[in-house]
Every structure is written in structure tokens, then in C-alpha cells.
Amino acid sequence: MYQYDDPTCSVTLPTPADAGTPGYFNDGDPVTGTGRTVLRSDFMNMLMKELLNVLSAAGIEPSKTAYDQVASAITILGQQSAGYRLIGRTIFSASGTYTPNVKAKAAFVVAVGGGGSGGGVSGTASNAAGGGGGASGGYSDILIKTLLSSYSVTIGAGGAAPSAGANNGNAGGTTSFGSVLTVPGGGGGLAGTAGTVASISQGGLPGSAPTGGGVNSPGAPGTMGLTLNGTTCFSGNGAPSVYGGGSRGVTGANGNDGSGIGAGGAGAATTNATARAGGAGSNGAVIVWEYDNDTA
């Protein structure tokens, strides 16, 4: 497609005539004396400029020797207007390697760190204690428009349940996606020591802020464990992650384990001589949504 360049051409666009009544071409009829339609420069210039503007919108330089440029421009513009199309999703719940689909042109990646475990409690007769709940793992996401051939994936494990007794909960592990995203896990809840007076056990604190993503958010803290007197106590809840989960505190049992992705475990609680263990945090995850921009 190329702009007309005959030596007889005008160097500037002539002013179009005023708009008339829309009609159709005809060949004329000498029998009836009907004249044929006159093909004027206004119409030809309009067609030429319309087609050249299609090329311009697609970023194609006009060529006098190419005869498929308008078709190519329409294809390009169609892809641009269609945007990306989801072609698949992969959930990593265990460490491994992500290898993009051969059709993938982009990937939206979400990573969540492991949840921290709840604090344990010591046991003493006629005493009570409630441990703090574990914090949830952090969250990060990113849209990758230029994919590498592969990415290593490390899933942060949930913090292991502490042994029964006045033992603090354990922090969740860090989740990473290649060198792109690094997402720390949540902290463990503090232990509760059996007693007869009011006291609290701090819930686990979120880890440091994730790095690398368009959204980088640390997790939520676990709630505190509370001892009211020698017979009444409540353990802290394990914090939910951005995907929910979490775990409910208890009044006289081992802490509940975190559920879902990257959630904290609940603290333990006791109202007698039995030492108890906090609940484990749940593992983090990496979720990859793959997209192409094929309009087919």
C-alpha cells in the first residue's frame, strides 16, 4: 500500500466538495441518455487516506512493493484490541520449576509466604495459659510480559508446631519465584506460661515486606492469647492470608493448624497441668496465570 505518487498529483490535499446526496456508481445508459458516474478525486483521496491511516494505526510504514499491508495492519490492530487471553493456570504447592507454555506471551504471578505457628503453653495444676496465634505469610504479585525459559519456585513451608510447653511458635518459610519475587513468611505466636493472674501472649508478627512485585504486602498478625485467672484462658487465632484460611483459638487444647494458603496456626491453651502445643502454620503457594494475545 502506498500513497499515489504520479507526477500529475497535487502536493497538497484538495479541499473536498460539499457533501451531496449519498448514492451509488452506475455505468450510464446511452439508450436512455443516462450519463455514467464521474469518479472524482474527492472519493479516491478519501479511500486512499482511510487505508493509509489503517497502516499508520498499526505502526506499518507504507511500501510500494508490498500488497498485504492492510491485511497485516488489521491483524495487528485486532490483537491489540483483544488484549491478553487466559490460556492456563498452574498452582505450585510444593517447590519445583515453572516452564512457560510455548504459547504464553505473558504471565501473572502471585506468591504467598508460609504462615507462622501458634505458641505453646506450659501446664501447672490450678493454673491457666493461652498462647498467641501465628501470623500469616506475605503476598506479592507481578505481571511478566517477557518470559524466561524457566523459573525456580520455592514454596515457604508453614511454621512447624512447637513442642508442648512454653515454646514460641515458629516462623513460616519464604516463598520465591526465580529472582523476581521474594515473599517472607509470618512470625510465630509467643508461648503462654501457666499462671493465676491476668496476662497476655503476643500474637506472631508479619515478616518483612515482600520484594519484586507490583503489590508487596506483609501478612497479618496473629491475635494475642489471653489468661484471665487460674481457670479461664483463650488462645490467639492464627491469622488468615489474603486467600483466607487461618485457625480459631481454643480454650483448653492444642492449637488448631492453619488452613488454606499461608495462614497462621492458633495458639494452645490449658486450664490444668497438661502442657500443650501450638498449631502449625499452612504452607505458602505460587499461582501462575498464563496468557497469550492470539485472537484465533
Side-chain angles (χ1 to χ4, degrees):
M1 175 67 197
Y2 200 74
Q3 189 162 344
Y4 199 42
D5 59 353
D6 188 84
T8 60
C9 286
S10 174
V11 296
T12 60
L13 179 65
T15 302
D18 292 338
T21 302
Y24 302 92
F25 293 99
N26 75 78
D27 294 327
D29 187 344
V31 175
T32 62
T34 303
R36 66 178 61 190
T37 302
V38 177
L39 189 59
R40 300 186 186 279
S41 61
D42 285 0
F43 183 76
M44 297 306 296
N45 286 332
M46 178 188 65
L47 289 182
M48 179 175 64
K49 290 298 293 181
E50 288 280 356
L51 293 172
L52 287 170
N53 283 334
V54 173
L55 268 61
S56 177
I60 296 177
E61 184 70 23
S63 169
K64 196 169 184 177
T65 58
Y67 302 100
D68 61 352
Q69 289 189 298
V70 174
S72 297
I74 291 172
T75 299
I76 292 171
L77 294 174
Q79 291 175 342
Q80 291 174 349
S81 64
Y84 289 112
R85 179 182 65 177
L86 180 65
I87 59 174
R89 184 187 70 175
T90 302
I91 300 176
F92 288 90
S93 56
S95 299
T97 300
Y98 164 64
T99 301
N101 185 305
V102 293
K103 294 183 178 180
K105 303 296 191 301
F108 182 70
V109 183
V110 165
V112 179
S117 60
V121 293
S122 60
T124 304
S126 301
N127 283 240
S136 59
Y139 169 94
S140 186
D141 65 38
I142 190 171
L143 175 63
I144 302 174
K145 294 184 178 180
T146 302
L147 293 168
L148 302 179
S149 59
S150 64
Y151 297 82
S152 60
V153 176
T154 301
I155 302 301
S163 300
N167 299 304
N168 294 333
N170 297 297
T174 297
T175 293
S176 62
F177 183 78
S179 60
V180 181
L181 298 177
T182 301
V183 187
L190 297 187
T193 301
T196 59
V197 297
S199 63
I200 61 172
S201 298
Q202 184 70 46
L205 298 177
S208 57
T211 58
V215 174
N216 296 302
S217 177
T223 59
M224 64 181 65
L226 178 63
T227 301
L228 298 180
N229 49 51
T231 59
T232 306
C233 65
F234 307 92
S235 73
N237 299 327
S241 74
V242 70
Y243 285 103
S247 53
R248 186 176 182 180
V250 296
T251 56
N254 291 328
N256 294 314
D257 292 341
S259 60
I261 297 173
T270 187
T271 56
N272 53 40
T274 303
R276 301 188 186 278
S282 60
N283 296 340
V286 166
I287 307 172
V288 182
W289 286 268
E290 294 181 312
Y291 297 86
D292 71 6
N293 58 0
D294 186 358
T295 59

